[in-house]
């Protein structure tokens, strides 16, 4: 902008004014984009990690008219919330988004909210990192005549570059998901000034201060899972809970080749939060049975190494993992290239001990020049401790754009990079994410002799477990689920109640659950024409819910799952296709 005006104007005074105006313009854009990035993280710790969206709507005079952020996967988009808050001030305003809209493939709620509100200009921090969503919302907004500027594309400046960096950081997990097959992993440890994570006896309580450990609880609350090795379980008997009093508690993962683990451990108490043990295939079958009897999920791997385990949890839709392991596992994870960021709490204390363990074990480096240098290092004092954090791998800026299926076909028709006969879907941000029961598509379903609206299929499905049971506690469950603020909260309540108080569940649930799900899907896909179109567009392909651990509704890790969700969607699709072929026949007969 400034460059263009400089070329056109003659008097230096005007140029300066225009230039300054351009710079102010940038400063304003940068400050609102940074605000949107901050907003986008507001749900951290409340819900499980999801794509972070924040939206600030500013009037032409630079006043904030409305703000919003995505609370959880499958809830109202940030843009729609900001438009609601801004009301009539949206007309002619500018909307600032940390990231291009698109929590759900094929969903237009965010863009239509901005278009219908009469927003005049949109500034976007970064394009959506996922290939199937990247660029479509920007194209759609421009097609409605909205001026859309993307930082780093339409104009550059230092202040804007810094704002753009904030947008990259708040969605680092999603960006890493877009271009690697592992979740974003953060290695955290606390060590004494002389580099020990425990005394030589193994005693470690406590190295870092209470304030630092509170920060650790926050880090846990921002993670899908916290992972430790067997040694940590034996030494510390940790709980690994978030203990920050907010909503989200991460799954605990133990990696143990031998399953040489104690019978009694805090991690085997899964009443509040689940635990998964990753082990070598065939290890200690009797102990695996013991863990299963405690409600601990055991996942076997042919090769138990950090990359295999991380690729598996990537399939489970995990975005962020916190490694709180000992030095041996930390070294193995770093060597496997799965650690992206390191967070070290350094306490001003000396413990000594030639055998005292250090944070990172053997990496095979013999010269200091081989040391791994952190990038974007931050230093922060936390109480008496020093927090040093930085990236082992930079957040990829310009992603290797994975060519879409059509683009690949154009390049070389003989190459068929995608198994087009099978369509996998899982998280709402995945391709065909709208097929997920967590997608933000409210449905109106018959309820008793009335109708009720449910925020998602998941809300409706979970509530139905407790319908028709005399026990007043069952009615409470239905209400608690119906009013849950997100599909994930509805699932959490439904599943934990079913596990803890099975007597509250309707006696015929196992017989009716498929029918309940089918009715909900039928309502969803007939309520939203674009979803029905998307479903019909998959004709000829097998639909599989790519959940590697839900072996009833999902496809399972090696296809061993029953995939009932995929089956019901295919059944619905053929019903629609049958209808449309019948109607096409009628039409042709009518001609
Ligand atoms: N000793 C030590 C840490 N130890 C880490 O915390 C785990 C215990 O978690 P929890 O049982 O939830 O309190 C332990 O297994 C180890 O991974 N962490 C820190 O931030 N600072 C400390 O000084």
């Amino acid at each position: 902008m400034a460059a263009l005006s400089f070329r056109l104007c003659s008097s230096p005074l005007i140029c300066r004014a225009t230039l300054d105006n351009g710079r102010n313009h940038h400063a304003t854009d940068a400050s609102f984009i940074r605000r949107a990035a901050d907003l986008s993280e507001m749900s951290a710790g409340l819900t499980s990690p999801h794509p972070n969206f924040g939206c600030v709507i500013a009037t032409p005079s630079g006043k904030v008219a409305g703000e919003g952020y995505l609370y959880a996967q499958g809830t109202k988009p940030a843009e729609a919330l900001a438009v609601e808050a801004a009301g009539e001030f949206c007309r002619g305003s500018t909307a600032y988004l940390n990231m291009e809209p698109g929590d759900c493939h094929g969903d237009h709620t965010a863009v239509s909210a901005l278009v219908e509100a009469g927003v005049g200009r949109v500034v976007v921090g970064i394009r959506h990192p996922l290939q199937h969503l990247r660029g479509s919302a920007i194209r759609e907004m421009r097609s409605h005549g909205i001026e859309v500027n993307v930082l780093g594309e339409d104009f550059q400046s230092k202040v804007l570059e810094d704002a753009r960096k904030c947008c990259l950081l708040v969605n680092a997990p999603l960006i890493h998901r877009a271009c690697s097959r592992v979740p974003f992993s953060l290695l955290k440890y606390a060590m004494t000034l002389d580099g020990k994570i425990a005394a030589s006896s193994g005693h470690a309580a406590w190295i870092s201060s209470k304030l630092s450990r509170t920060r650790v609880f926050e880090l846990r609350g921002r993670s899908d899972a916290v992972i430790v090795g067997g040694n940590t379980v034996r030494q510390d008997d940790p709980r690994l809970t978030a203990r920050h009093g907010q909503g989200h508690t991460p799954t605990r993962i133990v990696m143990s080749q031998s399953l040489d683990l104690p019978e009694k451990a805090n991690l085997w108490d899964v009443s509040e939060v689940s635990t998964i043990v990753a082990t070598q295939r065939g290890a200690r079958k009797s102990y695996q049975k013991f863990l299963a009897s405690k409600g601990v999920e055991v996942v076997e791997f042919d090769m138990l190494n950090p990359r295999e385990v991380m690729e598996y949890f990537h399939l489970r839709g995990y975005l962020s993992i916190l490694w709180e392991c000992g030095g041996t596992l930390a070294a193995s994870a770093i060597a496997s290239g799965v650690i992206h960021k390191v967070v070290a709490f350094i306490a001003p204390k000396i413990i000594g001990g030639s055998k005292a363990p250090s944070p990172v074990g053997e990496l095979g480096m013999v010269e200091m020049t081989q040391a791994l240098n952190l990038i974007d290092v931050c230093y922060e004092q936390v109480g008496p401790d020093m927090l040093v954090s930085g990236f082992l791998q930079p957040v990829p800026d310009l992603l290797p754009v994975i060519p879409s299926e059509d683009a690949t076909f154009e390049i070389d028709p003989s190459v068929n990079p995608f198994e087009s006969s099978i369509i996998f879907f899982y998280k709402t941000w995945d391709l065909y994410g709208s097929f997920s029961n967590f997608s933000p598509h409210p449905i109106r379903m018959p309820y008793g002799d009335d109708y009720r609206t449910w925020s998602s299929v998941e809300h409706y499905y979970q509530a139905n477990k407790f319908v028709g049971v005399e026990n007043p506690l069952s009615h409470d469950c239905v209400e608690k689920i119906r009013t849950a603020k997100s599909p994930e909260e509805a699932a959490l309540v439904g599943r934990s109640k079913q596990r803890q108080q099975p007597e509250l569940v309707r006696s015929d649930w196992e017989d009716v659950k498929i029918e309940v799900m089918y009715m909900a899907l039928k309502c969803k896909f007939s309520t939203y024409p674009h979803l029905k179109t998307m479903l019909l567009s998959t004709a000829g392909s097998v639909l599989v819910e790519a959940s590697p651990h839900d072996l009833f509704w999902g496809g399972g890790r090696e296809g061993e799952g029953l995939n009932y969700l995929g089956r019901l969607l295919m059944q619905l699709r053929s019903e629609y296709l049958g209808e449309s072929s019948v109607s096409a026949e009628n039409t042709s007969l009518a001609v």
Side-chain angles (χ1 to χ4, degrees):
M1 204 79 86
L4 182 65
S5 51
F6 188 75
R7 216 180 23 252
L8 290 179
C9 66
S10 52
S11 127
L13 208 57
I14 297 172
C15 291
R16 173 150 310 292
T18 316
L19 211 53
D20 286 350
N21 177 36
R23 200 169 286 133
N24 291 342
H25 196 41
H26 286 188
T28 307
D29 286 352
S31 68
F32 282 132
I33 284 288
R34 295 173 84 102
R35 170 65 186 158
D38 291 344
L39 269 176
S40 75
E41 288 197 297
M42 290 287 277
S43 67
L46 294 171
T47 56
S48 61
H50 54 79
N52 289 326
F53 291 97
C55 176
V56 177
I57 292 186
T59 61
S61 62
K63 295 244 176 322
V64 174
E67 296 182 330
Y69 62 89
L70 179 73
Y71 171 73
Q73 179 190 179
T75 57
K76 198 174 270 193
E79 297 79 3
L81 293 169
V83 161
E84 278 172 20
E88 77 278 0
F89 294 106
C90 288
R91 201 144 298 285
S93 67
T94 299
Y96 293 88
L97 319 178
N98 62 297
M99 179 162 68
E100 176 181 14
D103 179 38
C104 230
H105 179 53
D107 215 62
H108 306 270
T109 319
V111 172
S112 43
L114 295 170
V115 170
E116 282 151 30
V119 165
R121 177 176 175 245
V122 173
V123 182
V124 175
I126 57 171
R127 284 176 181 267
H128 202 291
L130 296 181
Q131 167 64 23
H132 61 278
L133 292 169
R134 188 180 181 85
S136 36
I138 289 170
R139 270 192 305 277
E140 196 181 342
M141 289 188 282
R142 284 175 172 158
S143 71
H144 284 94
I146 295 181
E147 180 196 350
V148 181
N149 298 129
V150 184
L151 296 199
E153 292 181 11
D154 303 326
F155 34 63
Q156 263 109 3
S157 72
K158 175 79 179 67
V159 70
L160 288 175
E161 196 40 45
D162 293 345
R164 190 167 182 279
K165 189 126 196 185
C166 294
C167 298
L168 288 171
L169 292 177
V170 294
N171 271 301
L174 186 69
I175 292 171
H176 276 286
R177 179 179 179 86
C179 54
S180 73
R181 294 183 308 147
V182 292
F184 182 76
S185 277
L186 196 156
L187 168 63
K188 163 260 154 188
Y189 54 81
M191 75 176 187
T192 59
L193 196 58
D194 57 326
K196 316 290 187 193
I197 58 170
S200 43
S201 65
H203 187 264
W206 289 99
I207 298 167
S208 59
S209 64
K210 215 169 170 52
L211 205 55
S212 295
R213 294 205 306 280
T214 307
R215 292 289 291 273
V216 173
F217 298 152
E218 282 169 23
L219 287 176
R220 292 176 180 172
R222 288 166 169 260
S223 310
D224 283 295
V226 182
I227 189 165
V228 294
N231 210 23
T232 298
V233 178
R234 287 186 291 272
Q235 292 280 1
D236 304 340
D237 187 19
R239 286 177 289 167
L240 300 179
T241 47
R243 298 202 292 276
H244 52 29
Q246 305 200 76
H248 175 63
T249 51
T251 299
R252 286 105 37 119
I253 300 171
V254 179
M255 273 183 69
S256 168
Q257 194 112 21
S258 61
L259 286 186
D260 170 18
L261 299 169
E263 302 269 322
K264 274 186 70 48
N266 284 321
L267 292 181
W268 306 157
D269 169 9
V270 294
S271 55
E272 293 304 314
V273 56
S274 54
T275 299
I276 298 173
V277 172
T279 188
Q280 192 76 31
R281 194 173 297 282
R284 285 191 72 190
K285 281 294 183 194
S286 56
Y287 190 76
Q288 286 195 32
K289 283 199 177 60
F290 158 74
L291 289 177
S293 69
K294 304 285 283 179
V296 173
E297 185 185 347
V298 180
V299 183
E300 293 182 306
F301 292 81
D302 295 329
M303 292 286 292
L304 183 74
N305 64 53
R307 179 158 291 278
E308 292 289 326
V309 173
M310 284 300 100
E311 286 183 0
Y312 170 75
F313 283 105
H314 174 78
L315 288 175
R316 269 180 87 151
Y318 285 21
L319 280 177
S320 285
I321 305 264
L322 178 64
W323 292 69
E324 286 201 61
C325 53
T328 311
L329 183 53
S332 169
I334 291 171
S336 306
V338 299
I339 300 292
H340 300 95
K341 187 173 182 183
V342 177
V343 174
F345 291 87
I346 302 162
K349 49 180 81 166
I350 303 277
I351 182 76
S354 56
K355 295 210 174 6
S358 68
V360 179
E362 187 51 60
L363 284 176
M365 297 179 183
V366 293
E367 292 178 4
M368 196 49 76
T369 47
Q370 291 175 289
L372 301 169
N373 294 305
L374 295 187
I375 308 160
D376 290 339
V377 185
C378 292
Y379 304 88
E380 180 190 347
Q381 182 166 354
V382 182
D385 306 322
M386 202 59 201
L387 168 54
V388 180
S389 60
F391 288 84
L392 276 181
Q393 304 179 43
V395 180
D397 194 342
L398 293 175
L399 302 174
V401 178
I402 305 146
S404 65
E405 188 169 346
D406 308 344
T408 311
F409 188 75
E410 271 157 30
I411 297 164
D412 175 355
S414 66
V415 171
N416 177 7
F418 302 87
E419 189 41 67
S420 58
S421 65
I422 301 181
I423 290 179
F424 293 97
F425 64 93
Y426 189 34
K427 305 296 276 190
T428 55
W429 55 77
D430 283 339
L431 196 50
Y432 295 100
S434 299
F435 290 175
S436 156
N437 293 335
F438 278 29
S439 75
H441 297 104
I443 53 175
R444 195 164 151 64
M445 295 296 287
Y447 189 78
D449 48 11
D450 193 356
Y451 274 81
R452 268 189 170 175
T453 299
W454 304 82
S455 312
S456 70
V457 166
E458 190 66 20
H459 281 80
Y460 178 72
Y461 173 78
Q462 292 294 341
N464 264 271
K465 290 178 179 174
F466 310 95
V467 163
V469 179
E470 275 320 299
N471 189 325
L473 291 177
S474 296
H475 295 276
D476 299 348
C477 288
V478 172
E479 269 318 291
K480 200 164 176 223
I481 292 167
R482 195 173 68 82
T483 54
K485 289 192 288 183
S486 67
E488 112 190 26
E489 279 166 22
L492 206 61
V493 173
R495 290 170 187 158
S496 52
K497 285 290 174 197
Q498 182 176 17
R499 194 173 52 231
Q500 291 158 5
Q501 296 172 274
E503 71 283 5
L504 300 182
V505 177
R506 59 193 284 185
S507 54
D508 63 345
W509 177 244
E510 288 308 313
D511 307 328
V512 301
K513 67 183 185 181
I514 291 179
E515 183 56 24
V516 166
M517 182 67 87
Y518 192 61
M519 298 314 292
L521 292 173
K522 206 167 174 130
C523 176
K524 171 178 170 179
F525 284 83
S526 44
T527 306
Y528 302 94
H530 73 281
L531 296 187
K532 182 173 178 180
T533 309
M534 187 191 283
L535 181 61
L536 293 177
S537 74
T538 66
S541 297
V542 174
L543 300 178
V544 177
E545 196 213 13
S547 163
H549 66 110
D550 181 337
L551 302 185
F552 183 81
W553 294 112
R557 209 169 147 199
E558 273 104 24
E560 77 280 20
L562 298 172
N563 184 39
Y564 266 100
L565 185 55
R567 290 187 195 197
L568 292 183
L569 286 173
M570 289 186 279
Q571 181 184 328
L572 184 60
R573 181 180 69 192
S574 44
E575 241 186 67
Y576 286 145
L577 288 170
E579 268 167 27
S580 52
S581 61
V582 164
S583 61
E585 242 168 64
N586 291 345
T587 322
S588 57
L589 285 176
V591 163

